[in-house]
Amino acid sequence: MNMSAHLRNGLVGLHSVRRWRPSLRLSVGLLAVAVVVGMAVVLAEVVAGHLRSIAADAAVHNVEAIVRGYVDPQVDEGSLALDALPEPGISDELERLIVAGDIRVISIWSRDARIVYSTAAELRGRRFSIDDLVARAFLGTSISAYAVNQDHSEGTPGPTDTQPVLQIFVPIRGLVDGDPIGVYEVEQDARPIEDRVETTRRDVFLLALAAATVLLIILAVAFAGTSALLGRQNRLLRARAETERLLGVDLRRSEERFRSLVRSSSDVILIIDADGTIGYESPAVARVLGYDPEERVGTSAYDAIHDADVAWIRSLIADISTRTGAEAAADFRARHADGSWRWLQATAKNLLNDPAVSAIVVNYRDITDRRALEEQLRYQAFHDALSGLPNRALFMDRLDHALTRARRDQSAVAVLFLDLDDFKSVNDGLGHGAGDELLVSVAERLNRTLRDADTAARMGGDEFAILLEDAHDKHASVEIAERILEVLRAPFTVQGQHVRIRGSVGIALYTDPEQTADELLRHADVAMYAAKSQGKDRLMVFQPDVHLVTIDRHQLKADLHLALDNGEFTLLYQPVVDLESTTITGVEALIRWQHPRRGLIGPTEFIPLAEESGMIVPVGRWVLAEACRQGQAWQEGAARPLTMSVNLSARQIDDIGLIDDVAAALRDSGLDPALLTLEITESVLLSDMEVVMARLRALKSLGVRLAIDDFGTGYSSLSYLRNLPVDVLKIDRSFVAAVDSGTAERALVRSIVSLAQILGLETVAEGIEEPSQLAALRSAGAQFGQGFLFAEPLDAHRVPAALARVTSCARPRRRAASPAPRRGRRPVRAGITSTS
Ligand code: C2E
Ligand code: CA
Ligand code: CA
């Protein structure tokens, strides 16, 4: 290390010295000063001491020289003998010496302790006691001593001298034997010596002080430098230790955060190896499956999986465990600790090659409730809400299966089509409530009459279909049909009244492997019409010549071709209202056919025919164009934008030209695409999903909105909803009809609404007829609705008035709690209903 660096360190170190406690700093400083001063003093004292003795020795030599040179020759035994008179010459000689130098007094002692000669006259001849110094001089040694305030004699009033003096005693040797015959005492002024000694002492003191100070500073700097160096190293070490500690803390913290995330996650995190052995399971397992988190560690994750699922789950895991990073998702059942089965939705990821994990990480949650809702919706989709019987969809499905079986093992299949005679009169006479009650009773009697293997279904309105499997021949089927007609003939009690009802049954037998379910049902339908036309309350077995009766339908189909050109179609518009404010936010276009001979025909009657013949495509094109034109016409003068909903049938979705038709309708009318909602039913989704998705995306790209119509009546898998580009869920009328009948139904609607909310979909409840339904729907959180309670489907020219009326009626929003808008006559069922 070079000097400047050292100095720098030292100065830095002095800074560190400043960090000492002040009292300690003061003591150390004082001690250092004391040591330095003390050393200087001691050194100065030592030097001064030496100097004084050297000076004394020199003075002694001087005096010896004088004694030997001047005094000895003149002094002898005699002149110093007792009582001898002092030789005056000697005294003169001594006085001369005094004048010459610093010598103040010179005396000569004789052996008898008498001062024989002295320059101080008052001392001459006097006798004194011999002190130690004089005694030693008499022994032959020259000796000197410093003294102060030398008093010459006791009692003698001499000048009291306070100055320092040097006393020198030199023996005077006799000529005879060399023994001292006297002592020559010189009292010399010590001040010059003392002055010199003092100066020297001061110089030495200062020099020593300076030297010691410099030395001390050097030492201090060196010490401080070292201490700074050590301090820095210490700080570095401490900082490193601190960083490590912090890092450790940080790591620990993030690890803890991760752990608590895992711990508090509502999903269970499961770590398994490739064999499915559990290495870890997060605490959520206690809530989801009722197990202690530790309980299953070390066991196989497959143990709890349902027998029906375990094999394919195993192969799924086996599959992903061969590919690094591979993921898989699955829904399956697992046993809860309480023994019940729970549906789990799981995702698994292969992190076997991730050194931090080395496992398959599974994330699962309980979806039992969701599955139950799906199950319930599926049940609804396949069952008639009123009677609880299977609906058309389930019936057709079972018929399909029965036909497949029949083709395979030549088993027999028959379809009975039952339509109640004059049901309309019950409905009209006793009210819809009585009509519904009657339908339920009919369903019960059907069920009682049939064997378990047979299926009775409600096809809509007062129409029922019965699937007979293993009905060996025509006679067996006829027998059952007769029994059905028989049980119907017994009177029913509806709302306390006896009601008589009859039915007509058409029977179609499976005879040809080429026959489809649709065909068989149509044949039964045709036979039923034949039975009706022959006077009702009877049965008819389908025979090819019975087909004549169907001319009616064929005729209708044929008429459809002309209807478009003849302008026989019209659109009615049913308002869609905001359930909270009951203001109209839009309308749904509903087609009607003004048949030249048969009068007004409803869509349920002719849309299926139009679909069969393909006429639905041009008819649908017309509906789109007309609805858009009308919709745009209403925008002018409307207080706020009015949405327009148009129904699309599955056949239209299949048609490649649909996108162009919609685009053309929008372009020609000028309607804002955002105001157009296209309604499709769930059944659309049954066809080729890829085509459907592509078509829906193309529609969406035009800027229109998409709605799922009659939600809950189709193949309600909630999972597909997530993937569809839809904006609106229209809750089917059957849910709305049941919503005020019980808590379970209400909960179902609530589930649908909350599902829609989760998926970000608007909800429109269809077929609201009663204020109680409105209240229940509101409390379930449904946003929009349609129904006779607000308005029936209206002629276009009546819509502007309705817009004004419903809006004004809804103004005092407080009344929303009991909104039954009893504005005159309650809206009647619009158009033609399909009941007979
Ligand atoms: P949807 O789309 O579910 O239409 C609602 C049906 O419920 C309409 O029957 C309407 O009159 C009826 N409705 C409305 N409010 C109530 C109510 O409060 N109670 C009851 N009981 N019914 C109510 P509509 O007009 O007979 O139409 C029947 C079906 O025909 C429609 O069902 C729709 O699927 C189809 N449809 C109508 N117009 C068209 C069309 O232009 N094209 C196609 N492809 N299908 C159409
Ligand atoms: Ca609709
Ligand atoms: Ca609907």
Side-chain angles (χ1 to χ4, degrees), residues 470-492:
D470 278 337
H472 298 298
D473 51 19
K474 178 177 152 186
H475 298 290
S477 310
V478 168
E479 224 171 86
I480 292 172
E482 274 172 346
R483 230 174 34 233
I484 288 170
L485 291 176
E486 192 53 43
V487 298
L488 287 179
R489 283 182 196 118
F492 290 85

PDB file of all heavy atoms in Angstrom, residues 470-492:
ATOM      1  N   ASP A 470     -90.424 -54.366 -28.689  1.00  0.00           N
ATOM      2  CA  ASP A 470     -90.852 -55.756 -28.534  1.00  0.00           C
ATOM      3  C   ASP A 470     -92.364 -55.934 -28.628  1.00  0.00           C
ATOM      4  O   ASP A 470     -92.936 -56.812 -27.975  1.00  0.00           O
ATOM      5  CB  ASP A 470     -90.356 -56.344 -27.198  1.00  0.00           C
ATOM      6  CG  ASP A 470     -88.916 -56.801 -27.332  1.00  0.00           C
ATOM      7  OD1 ASP A 470     -88.480 -57.062 -28.478  1.00  0.00           O
ATOM      8  OD2 ASP A 470     -88.231 -56.876 -26.295  1.00  0.00           O
ATOM      9  N   ALA A 471     -93.022 -55.023 -29.380  1.00  0.00           N
ATOM     10  CA  ALA A 471     -94.437 -55.271 -29.659  1.00  0.00           C
ATOM     11  C   ALA A 471     -94.425 -56.214 -30.860  1.00  0.00           C
ATOM     12  O   ALA A 471     -94.077 -55.809 -31.956  1.00  0.00           O
ATOM     13  CB  ALA A 471     -95.148 -53.981 -29.999  1.00  0.00           C
ATOM     14  N   HIS A 472     -94.747 -57.481 -30.573  1.00  0.00           N
ATOM     15  CA  HIS A 472     -94.433 -58.528 -31.554  1.00  0.00           C
ATOM     16  C   HIS A 472     -95.041 -58.294 -32.921  1.00  0.00           C
ATOM     17  O   HIS A 472     -94.437 -58.491 -33.937  1.00  0.00           O
ATOM     18  CB  HIS A 472     -94.841 -59.892 -31.007  1.00  0.00           C
ATOM     19  CG  HIS A 472     -94.082 -60.202 -29.760  1.00  0.00           C
ATOM     20  ND1 HIS A 472     -92.723 -60.320 -29.750  1.00  0.00           N
ATOM     21  CD2 HIS A 472     -94.501 -60.360 -28.477  1.00  0.00           C
ATOM     22  CE1 HIS A 472     -92.318 -60.552 -28.522  1.00  0.00           C
ATOM     23  NE2 HIS A 472     -93.373 -60.581 -27.719  1.00  0.00           N
ATOM     24  N   ASP A 473     -96.270 -57.834 -32.908  1.00  0.00           N
ATOM     25  CA  ASP A 473     -96.889 -57.622 -34.213  1.00  0.00           C
ATOM     26  C   ASP A 473     -97.872 -56.477 -34.125  1.00  0.00           C
ATOM     27  O   ASP A 473     -98.045 -55.840 -33.085  1.00  0.00           O
ATOM     28  CB  ASP A 473     -97.574 -58.899 -34.691  1.00  0.00           C
ATOM     29  CG  ASP A 473     -98.498 -59.456 -33.607  1.00  0.00           C
ATOM     30  OD1 ASP A 473     -98.854 -58.665 -32.697  1.00  0.00           O
ATOM     31  OD2 ASP A 473     -98.836 -60.644 -33.645  1.00  0.00           O
ATOM     32  N   LYS A 474     -98.542 -56.289 -35.211  1.00  0.00           N
ATOM     33  CA  LYS A 474     -99.522 -55.233 -35.322  1.00  0.00           C
ATOM     34  C   LYS A 474    -100.591 -55.370 -34.245  1.00  0.00           C
ATOM     35  O   LYS A 474    -101.000 -54.389 -33.629  1.00  0.00           O
ATOM     36  CB  LYS A 474    -100.144 -55.346 -36.724  1.00  0.00           C
ATOM     37  CG  LYS A 474    -101.226 -54.355 -37.039  1.00  0.00           C
ATOM     38  CD  LYS A 474    -101.672 -54.562 -38.487  1.00  0.00           C
ATOM     39  CE  LYS A 474    -103.113 -54.132 -38.676  1.00  0.00           C
ATOM     40  NZ  LYS A 474    -103.589 -54.454 -40.038  1.00  0.00           N
ATOM     41  N   HIS A 475    -100.985 -56.639 -33.950  1.00  0.00           N
ATOM     42  CA  HIS A 475    -102.064 -56.836 -32.985  1.00  0.00           C
ATOM     43  C   HIS A 475    -101.669 -56.425 -31.587  1.00  0.00           C
ATOM     44  O   HIS A 475    -102.467 -55.809 -30.877  1.00  0.00           O
ATOM     45  CB  HIS A 475    -102.528 -58.307 -33.004  1.00  0.00           C
ATOM     46  CG  HIS A 475    -103.063 -58.672 -34.345  1.00  0.00           C
ATOM     47  ND1 HIS A 475    -104.261 -58.171 -34.831  1.00  0.00           N
ATOM     48  CD2 HIS A 475    -102.563 -59.451 -35.347  1.00  0.00           C
ATOM     49  CE1 HIS A 475    -104.465 -58.635 -36.046  1.00  0.00           C
ATOM     50  NE2 HIS A 475    -103.450 -59.426 -36.384  1.00  0.00           N
ATOM     51  N   ALA A 476    -100.478 -56.756 -31.232  1.00  0.00           N
ATOM     52  CA  ALA A 476    -100.008 -56.354 -29.899  1.00  0.00           C
ATOM     53  C   ALA A 476    -100.044 -54.842 -29.781  1.00  0.00           C
ATOM     54  O   ALA A 476    -100.472 -54.289 -28.753  1.00  0.00           O
ATOM     55  CB  ALA A 476     -98.605 -56.887 -29.671  1.00  0.00           C
ATOM     56  N   SER A 477     -99.605 -54.141 -30.821  1.00  0.00           N
ATOM     57  CA  SER A 477     -99.596 -52.676 -30.800  1.00  0.00           C
ATOM     58  C   SER A 477    -101.013 -52.124 -30.743  1.00  0.00           C
ATOM     59  O   SER A 477    -101.302 -51.182 -29.976  1.00  0.00           O
ATOM     60  CB  SER A 477     -98.920 -52.128 -32.061  1.00  0.00           C
ATOM     61  OG  SER A 477     -97.687 -52.756 -32.249  1.00  0.00           O
ATOM     62  N   VAL A 478    -101.877 -52.720 -31.542  1.00  0.00           N
ATOM     63  CA  VAL A 478    -103.264 -52.257 -31.567  1.00  0.00           C
ATOM     64  C   VAL A 478    -103.892 -52.448 -30.197  1.00  0.00           C
ATOM     65  O   VAL A 478    -104.638 -51.590 -29.700  1.00  0.00           O
ATOM     66  CB  VAL A 478    -104.052 -53.017 -32.663  1.00  0.00           C
ATOM     67  CG1 VAL A 478    -105.559 -52.787 -32.522  1.00  0.00           C
ATOM     68  CG2 VAL A 478    -103.579 -52.570 -34.038  1.00  0.00           C
ATOM     69  N   GLU A 479    -103.571 -53.584 -29.574  1.00  0.00           N
ATOM     70  CA  GLU A 479    -104.105 -53.867 -28.245  1.00  0.00           C
ATOM     71  C   GLU A 479    -103.725 -52.770 -27.250  1.00  0.00           C
ATOM     72  O   GLU A 479    -104.563 -52.283 -26.500  1.00  0.00           O
ATOM     73  CB  GLU A 479    -103.522 -55.196 -27.769  1.00  0.00           C
ATOM     74  CG  GLU A 479    -104.533 -56.120 -27.128  1.00  0.00           C
ATOM     75  CD  GLU A 479    -103.908 -57.477 -26.893  1.00  0.00           C
ATOM     76  OE1 GLU A 479    -103.269 -57.628 -25.822  1.00  0.00           O
ATOM     77  OE2 GLU A 479    -103.993 -58.343 -27.802  1.00  0.00           O
ATOM     78  N   ILE A 480    -102.480 -52.412 -27.310  1.00  0.00           N
ATOM     79  CA  ILE A 480    -102.016 -51.366 -26.375  1.00  0.00           C
ATOM     80  C   ILE A 480    -102.712 -50.046 -26.693  1.00  0.00           C
ATOM     81  O   ILE A 480    -103.171 -49.333 -25.785  1.00  0.00           O
ATOM     82  CB  ILE A 480    -100.480 -51.219 -26.457  1.00  0.00           C
ATOM     83  CG1 ILE A 480     -99.828 -52.498 -25.902  1.00  0.00           C
ATOM     84  CG2 ILE A 480     -99.999 -50.011 -25.658  1.00  0.00           C
ATOM     85  CD1 ILE A 480     -98.337 -52.569 -26.094  1.00  0.00           C
ATOM     86  N   ALA A 481    -102.813 -49.729 -27.977  1.00  0.00           N
ATOM     87  CA  ALA A 481    -103.475 -48.472 -28.370  1.00  0.00           C
ATOM     88  C   ALA A 481    -104.919 -48.468 -27.874  1.00  0.00           C
ATOM     89  O   ALA A 481    -105.424 -47.449 -27.373  1.00  0.00           O
ATOM     90  CB  ALA A 481    -103.422 -48.311 -29.884  1.00  0.00           C
ATOM     91  N   GLU A 482    -105.586 -49.617 -27.982  1.00  0.00           N
ATOM     92  CA  GLU A 482    -106.977 -49.691 -27.523  1.00  0.00           C
ATOM     93  C   GLU A 482    -107.064 -49.492 -26.019  1.00  0.00           C
ATOM     94  O   GLU A 482    -107.969 -48.829 -25.511  1.00  0.00           O
ATOM     95  CB  GLU A 482    -107.599 -51.032 -27.938  1.00  0.00           C
ATOM     96  CG  GLU A 482    -108.160 -50.923 -29.343  1.00  0.00           C
ATOM     97  CD  GLU A 482    -108.628 -52.256 -29.925  1.00  0.00           C
ATOM     98  OE1 GLU A 482    -108.279 -53.308 -29.336  1.00  0.00           O
ATOM     99  OE2 GLU A 482    -109.312 -52.230 -30.951  1.00  0.00           O
ATOM    100  N   ARG A 483    -106.117 -50.106 -25.355  1.00  0.00           N
ATOM    101  CA  ARG A 483    -106.118 -49.932 -23.893  1.00  0.00           C
ATOM    102  C   ARG A 483    -105.952 -48.449 -23.543  1.00  0.00           C
ATOM    103  O   ARG A 483    -106.584 -47.930 -22.629  1.00  0.00           O
ATOM    104  CB  ARG A 483    -104.979 -50.749 -23.289  1.00  0.00           C
ATOM    105  CG  ARG A 483    -105.499 -51.581 -22.157  1.00  0.00           C
ATOM    106  CD  ARG A 483    -104.536 -52.566 -21.534  1.00  0.00           C
ATOM    107  NE  ARG A 483    -103.137 -52.209 -21.470  1.00  0.00           N
ATOM    108  CZ  ARG A 483    -102.159 -53.012 -21.939  1.00  0.00           C
ATOM    109  NH1 ARG A 483    -102.441 -54.151 -22.539  1.00  0.00           N
ATOM    110  NH2 ARG A 483    -100.895 -52.668 -21.819  1.00  0.00           N
ATOM    111  N   ILE A 484    -105.077 -47.768 -24.282  1.00  0.00           N
ATOM    112  CA  ILE A 484    -104.850 -46.329 -24.021  1.00  0.00           C
ATOM    113  C   ILE A 484    -106.142 -45.552 -24.239  1.00  0.00           C
ATOM    114  O   ILE A 484    -106.548 -44.745 -23.390  1.00  0.00           O
ATOM    115  CB  ILE A 484    -103.722 -45.795 -24.927  1.00  0.00           C
ATOM    116  CG1 ILE A 484    -102.366 -46.350 -24.451  1.00  0.00           C
ATOM    117  CG2 ILE A 484    -103.677 -44.275 -24.917  1.00  0.00           C
ATOM    118  CD1 ILE A 484    -101.213 -46.087 -25.400  1.00  0.00           C
ATOM    119  N   LEU A 485    -106.823 -45.826 -25.377  1.00  0.00           N
ATOM    120  CA  LEU A 485    -108.069 -45.111 -25.648  1.00  0.00           C
ATOM    121  C   LEU A 485    -109.081 -45.395 -24.547  1.00  0.00           C
ATOM    122  O   LEU A 485    -109.837 -44.512 -24.132  1.00  0.00           O
ATOM    123  CB  LEU A 485    -108.631 -45.541 -27.013  1.00  0.00           C
ATOM    124  CG  LEU A 485    -107.802 -45.077 -28.224  1.00  0.00           C
ATOM    125  CD1 LEU A 485    -108.365 -45.627 -29.531  1.00  0.00           C
ATOM    126  CD2 LEU A 485    -107.742 -43.549 -28.275  1.00  0.00           C
ATOM    127  N   GLU A 486    -109.031 -46.640 -24.040  1.00  0.00           N
ATOM    128  CA  GLU A 486    -109.960 -47.056 -22.996  1.00  0.00           C
ATOM    129  C   GLU A 486    -109.718 -46.262 -21.706  1.00  0.00           C
ATOM    130  O   GLU A 486    -110.653 -45.733 -21.113  1.00  0.00           O
ATOM    131  CB  GLU A 486    -109.813 -48.575 -22.757  1.00  0.00           C
ATOM    132  CG  GLU A 486    -110.903 -49.186 -21.901  1.00  0.00           C
ATOM    133  CD  GLU A 486    -112.305 -48.861 -22.420  1.00  0.00           C
ATOM    134  OE1 GLU A 486    -112.527 -48.938 -23.648  1.00  0.00           O
ATOM    135  OE2 GLU A 486    -113.185 -48.500 -21.591  1.00  0.00           O
ATOM    136  N   VAL A 487    -108.455 -46.208 -21.289  1.00  0.00           N
ATOM    137  CA  VAL A 487    -108.198 -45.508 -20.007  1.00  0.00           C
ATOM    138  C   VAL A 487    -108.505 -44.028 -20.129  1.00  0.00           C
ATOM    139  O   VAL A 487    -108.838 -43.369 -19.145  1.00  0.00           O
ATOM    140  CB  VAL A 487    -106.752 -45.697 -19.470  1.00  0.00           C
ATOM    141  CG1 VAL A 487    -106.459 -47.153 -19.186  1.00  0.00           C
ATOM    142  CG2 VAL A 487    -105.721 -45.124 -20.418  1.00  0.00           C
ATOM    143  N   LEU A 488    -108.425 -43.482 -21.330  1.00  0.00           N
ATOM    144  CA  LEU A 488    -108.730 -42.057 -21.500  1.00  0.00           C
ATOM    145  C   LEU A 488    -110.226 -41.797 -21.346  1.00  0.00           C
ATOM    146  O   LEU A 488    -110.643 -40.709 -20.980  1.00  0.00           O
ATOM    147  CB  LEU A 488    -108.272 -41.561 -22.875  1.00  0.00           C
ATOM    148  CG  LEU A 488    -106.756 -41.388 -23.073  1.00  0.00           C
ATOM    149  CD1 LEU A 488    -106.459 -40.916 -24.497  1.00  0.00           C
ATOM    150  CD2 LEU A 488    -106.181 -40.398 -22.067  1.00  0.00           C
ATOM    151  N   ARG A 489    -111.004 -42.825 -21.664  1.00  0.00           N
ATOM    152  CA  ARG A 489    -112.457 -42.604 -21.667  1.00  0.00           C
ATOM    153  C   ARG A 489    -113.003 -42.404 -20.257  1.00  0.00           C
ATOM    154  O   ARG A 489    -114.025 -41.759 -20.081  1.00  0.00           O
ATOM    155  CB  ARG A 489    -113.165 -43.789 -22.352  1.00  0.00           C
ATOM    156  CG  ARG A 489    -113.017 -43.705 -23.874  1.00  0.00           C
ATOM    157  CD  ARG A 489    -113.748 -44.819 -24.587  1.00  0.00           C
ATOM    158  NE  ARG A 489    -113.256 -44.908 -25.963  1.00  0.00           N
ATOM    159  CZ  ARG A 489    -112.644 -45.961 -26.489  1.00  0.00           C
ATOM    160  NH1 ARG A 489    -112.475 -47.048 -25.754  1.00  0.00           N
ATOM    161  NH2 ARG A 489    -112.229 -45.948 -27.725  1.00  0.00           N
ATOM    162  N   ALA A 490    -112.324 -42.954 -19.279  1.00  0.00           N
ATOM    163  CA  ALA A 490    -112.773 -42.734 -17.896  1.00  0.00           C
ATOM    164  C   ALA A 490    -112.674 -41.236 -17.603  1.00  0.00           C
ATOM    165  O   ALA A 490    -111.707 -40.587 -17.998  1.00  0.00           O
ATOM    166  CB  ALA A 490    -111.883 -43.519 -16.942  1.00  0.00           C
ATOM    167  N   PRO A 491    -113.666 -40.673 -16.913  1.00  0.00           N
ATOM    168  CA  PRO A 491    -113.652 -39.220 -16.686  1.00  0.00           C
ATOM    169  C   PRO A 491    -112.478 -38.770 -15.803  1.00  0.00           C
ATOM    170  O   PRO A 491    -112.015 -39.520 -14.958  1.00  0.00           O
ATOM    171  CB  PRO A 491    -114.990 -38.967 -15.993  1.00  0.00           C
ATOM    172  CG  PRO A 491    -115.460 -40.287 -15.504  1.00  0.00           C
ATOM    173  CD  PRO A 491    -114.867 -41.334 -16.370  1.00  0.00           C
ATOM    174  N   PHE A 492    -112.045 -37.588 -16.062  1.00  0.00           N
ATOM    175  CA  PHE A 492    -110.960 -36.969 -15.265  1.00  0.00           C
ATOM    176  C   PHE A 492    -111.577 -35.963 -14.317  1.00  0.00           C
ATOM    177  O   PHE A 492    -112.639 -35.404 -14.609  1.00  0.00           O
ATOM    178  CB  PHE A 492    -109.987 -36.224 -16.174  1.00  0.00           C
ATOM    179  CG  PHE A 492    -109.158 -37.122 -17.043  1.00  0.00           C
ATOM    180  CD1 PHE A 492    -109.647 -37.587 -18.268  1.00  0.00           C
ATOM    181  CD2 PHE A 492    -107.871 -37.490 -16.655  1.00  0.00           C
ATOM    182  CE1 PHE A 492    -108.872 -38.398 -19.063  1.00  0.00           C
ATOM    183  CE2 PHE A 492    -107.102 -38.312 -17.465  1.00  0.00           C
ATOM    184  CZ  PHE A 492    -107.594 -38.764 -18.670  1.00  0.00           C
TER     185      PHE A 492
END
